[in-house]
Amino acid sequence: MLAEKVKGTFMELLNSEVTEIKDNQIFGSFKVEPIHLNPNGIIHGGVHATVLDSIMGLAVVVARPDDKLVTTMLNIHYLTALKDGTLQVSAKVIHQTNHTLTTEGEIRSEDGQLVAKATGSYRVINK
C-alpha cells in the first residue's frame, strides 16, 4: 500500500524509500545526491524537513489508513551536518485523538549518528 502512495511523489524524487514497517514504526532510507546540498556543501535543511515530514506522514497513513491527513506543525532539531551517504529515517505516531495525530521522527547517518530529530502534528481532514 505505501509503495503505491510514494510512487511518483516528492518522496520518490528525493531518493527516499520505505524499507520496513514494524511495531507501528516506519523505517526508510534516503540517498544523498549533490542536488540535495546547500551552498555550504551540506544537506539542505529543507531536504531534512521534507524527508522527515514525508516519513512521519507515512506513519500517520499506517495508523489511520482510511483517513486523509495534513501536516499542521513540524518542529526539527538539526544536530549534525552531513554531505553524503545513505541516511536512515524512521517515524512513529506517539499520540492520537479522533482529529489529530502527533509523531516523532529522526534521521541517522550510516554509522548511526543522530542527524536530525523532529516532531509533527497532523490533522484529519475527511470531508
Side-chain angles (χ1 to χ4, degrees), residues 1-67:
M1 172 187 82
L2 289 179
E4 282 302 311
K5 289 198 176 281
V6 171
K7 188 173 181 152
T9 68
F10 198 44
M11 190 171 176
E12 183 178 63
L13 180 68
L14 287 172
N15 292 330
S16 295
E17 66 177 354
V18 173
T19 57
E20 183 179 14
I21 301 170
K22 181 180 176 184
D23 300 328
N24 294 323
Q25 191 167 5
I26 188 164
F27 299 89
S29 65
F30 164 64
K31 174 137 179 44
V32 178
E33 301 290 344
I35 196 166
H36 301 134
L37 306 180
N38 68 20
N40 294 323
I42 60 175
I43 302 169
H44 191 285
V47 173
H48 288 298
T50 300
V51 170
L52 285 163
D53 185 33
S54 296
I55 197 77
M56 290 188 303
L58 289 175
V60 301
V61 168
V62 169
R64 303 279 282 273
D66 297 326
D67 289 326

Side-chain angles (χ1 to χ4, degrees), residues 68-87:
K68 292 183 181 180
L69 301 112
V70 295
T71 308
T72 58
M73 188 280 301
L74 180 64
N75 182 42
I76 303 171
H77 294 270
Y78 300 94
L79 305 170
T80 305
L82 293 177
K83 58 183 178 180
D84 57 18
T86 299
L87 306 181

